[in-house]
Amino acid sequence: MAIAQKPTVALTLGDPGGIGAELTAKLLSRRDLTDRAKVVVVGDTWLWEQGQAIAGELVATHAIKRFEDIRSADDGSPLFLAVETVRQADIPKSRASAAGGASVITVLRICLDAAASGLVDALCFVPVNKQAMKLSGMPFEDELHLFADHLKVRSYCAELNTLGNLWTSRISSHVPLVDVGRYLTKERILDAIKLLCGSMRLAGFEHPRMAVAALNPHGGEGGTCGREEIEIIAPAVNQAQRDGYPVAGPFPADTLFLKARDGQFEGIVTMYHDQGQIALKLLGFEKGVTIHGGLPIPITTPAHGTAYDIAGQNKANPEATVQAFLTACRMGAFHRSKPGV
């Protein structure tokens, strides 16, 4: 896909008590990556300086005071937009805190507003902590629903997880396992299939090969080990096929990812969080990416957490952050190329 101009990507520093600022410094120390986009780092000055010190990387940036200044800054360096969200003294070392969660939410909202105004084409945020965000008062189950509420999205949205050419979506996400059945409907399965297919096409898959996982062991064993496959999942797959989507299933989840690993499928719809996440993280924890699907702007993040246990030790592996950034660049370029954007 040829795009005349580089996309503008906002990049946050993540939870102040975690490894996010270190990851950002390691990412931006690589010119081969920063050349892919016009990058705007958004966060507290002390946190950005701390991240560079931990990583042992001094990143040259061009300071701006507002997102509207992006157009006038054209020296090729990453840009830095300083915002004051939290004092360093208020952040406890290596644990979740309300102060850290509030800082994260403030920065994310600033970036969302810039994206909604057309000032940036995509957002890539390094790891945040849901507990910290909830301690600060966030009323949503996760950041995806915070984004949807802020952007006034009322249609179906869901996290997508990727590892190279393997993409997954899921019917339920950050909810207790006992509540998964409440989310298992034909309509949600169809929505997940459509969202996954559309997102993969935006990322360059012209003809994605997709499959749907069963809920029960061995795919329900013909109804003797659960009837959800017969009564809900298979009818949804059949409807999706009639609607023209390239999808098959349901397949037993314990063998489906082997088929995907061997190249039979590129997209998988799972029924709950760990059904897909365990498989993806075993296949390549250091390269996994989360995409927040169903929103009007591309938003990506590495598919791992804040790693409080190694924060401040220069042990954080930046590869998943690199992949999240590259995904944001690709999707941001497509978003920028759309008429009216």
Side-chain angles (χ1 to χ4, degrees):
M1 177 173 54
I3 302 297
Q5 287 185 296
K6 296 178 183 179
T8 299
V9 177
L11 184 64
T12 75
L13 300 175
D15 186 289
I19 59 173
E22 173 191 339
L23 291 172
T24 305
K26 289 178 177 178
L27 170 72
L28 296 185
S29 69
R30 291 179 50 180
R31 188 59 184 261
D32 62 313
L33 297 175
T34 58
D35 283 345
R36 301 290 188 94
K38 182 172 284 189
V39 181
V40 186
V41 182
V42 185
D44 289 85
T45 301
W46 70 263
L47 182 58
W48 178 224
E49 292 175 348
Q50 181 186 79
Q52 293 174 84
I54 293 170
E57 300 286 356
L58 183 60
V59 180
T61 58
H62 181 101
I64 59 174
K65 294 183 178 181
R66 55 180 190 162
F67 278 102
E68 287 81 0
D69 296 335
I70 292 173
R71 295 183 180 89
S72 62
D74 57 0
D75 65 356
S77 300
L79 310 178
F80 179 65
L81 176 60
V83 294
E84 295 183 8
T85 68
V86 66
R87 297 185 307 164
Q88 185 173 2
D90 293 334
I91 297 298
K93 184 178 179 180
S94 300
R95 65 181 175 88
S97 68
S103 170
V104 163
I105 291 172
T106 297
V107 172
L108 289 174
R109 288 187 184 277
I110 290 171
C111 293
L112 290 173
D113 287 339
S117 299
L119 298 172
V120 300
D121 303 307
L123 165 61
C124 178
F125 66 95
V126 289
V128 300
N129 185 277
K130 294 174 181 59
Q131 180 188 6
M133 296 169 76
K134 291 177 182 178
L135 287 172
S136 75
M138 182 181 76
F140 308 104
E141 65 189 57
D142 52 30
E143 62 272 20
L144 168 64
H145 291 84
L146 170 71
F147 299 157
D149 179 77
H150 192 85
L151 297 170
K152 297 180 173 56
V153 173
R154 301 291 178 258
S155 56
Y156 180 80
C157 57
E159 281 191 359
L160 310 176
N161 293 99
T162 74
L163 181 67
N165 286 332
L166 177 58
W167 288 49
T168 69
S169 67
R170 50 186 181 257
I171 306 308
S172 62
S173 191
H174 300 108
V175 299
L177 190 58
V178 70
D179 292 336
V180 167
R182 295 195 296 110
Y183 294 82
L184 192 66
T185 66
K186 179 180 176 181
E187 290 72 25
R188 285 187 70 87
I189 295 170
L190 283 168
D191 284 339
I193 292 170
K194 294 174 183 178
L195 177 60
L196 181 59
C197 186
S199 298
M200 292 182 72
R201 285 172 173 163
L202 290 180
F205 293 84
E206 291 186 15
H207 305 288
R209 295 170 297 168
M210 301 168 54
V212 175
L215 172 70
N216 295 301
H218 305 161
E221 295 186 339
T224 63
C225 189
R227 295 190 57 81
E228 286 84 358
E229 287 74 21
I230 295 171
E231 297 176 357
I232 303 173
I233 305 175
V237 172
N238 293 338
Q239 182 62 58
Q241 291 171 341
R242 290 193 293 270
D243 291 344
Y245 289 91
V247 63
F251 298 104
D254 59 354
T255 56
L256 177 53
F257 279 89
L258 296 176
K259 298 177 187 293
R261 181 200 64 183
D262 294 340
Q264 293 185 43
F265 299 108
E266 295 137 342
I268 296 177
V269 175
T270 63
M271 298 298 109
Y272 56 92
H273 182 279
D274 286 2
Q275 191 179 52
Q277 285 294 77
I278 291 174
L280 281 187
K281 290 183 178 183
L282 282 173
L283 287 170
F285 178 77
E286 71 283 355
K287 295 183 179 180
V289 175
T290 297
I291 299 167
H292 291 77
L295 303 177
I297 54 177
I299 302 179
T300 70
T301 187
H304 61 71
T306 47
Y308 291 135
D309 57 321
I310 62 170
Q313 301 176 41
N314 194 21
K315 293 181 179 179
N317 185 336
E319 187 56 36
T321 299
V322 169
Q323 297 304 318
F325 174 74
L326 291 175
T327 302
C329 291
R330 289 194 300 271
M331 299 186 78
F334 185 91
H335 178 75
R336 184 183 187 90
S337 70
K338 291 190 299 184
V341 174

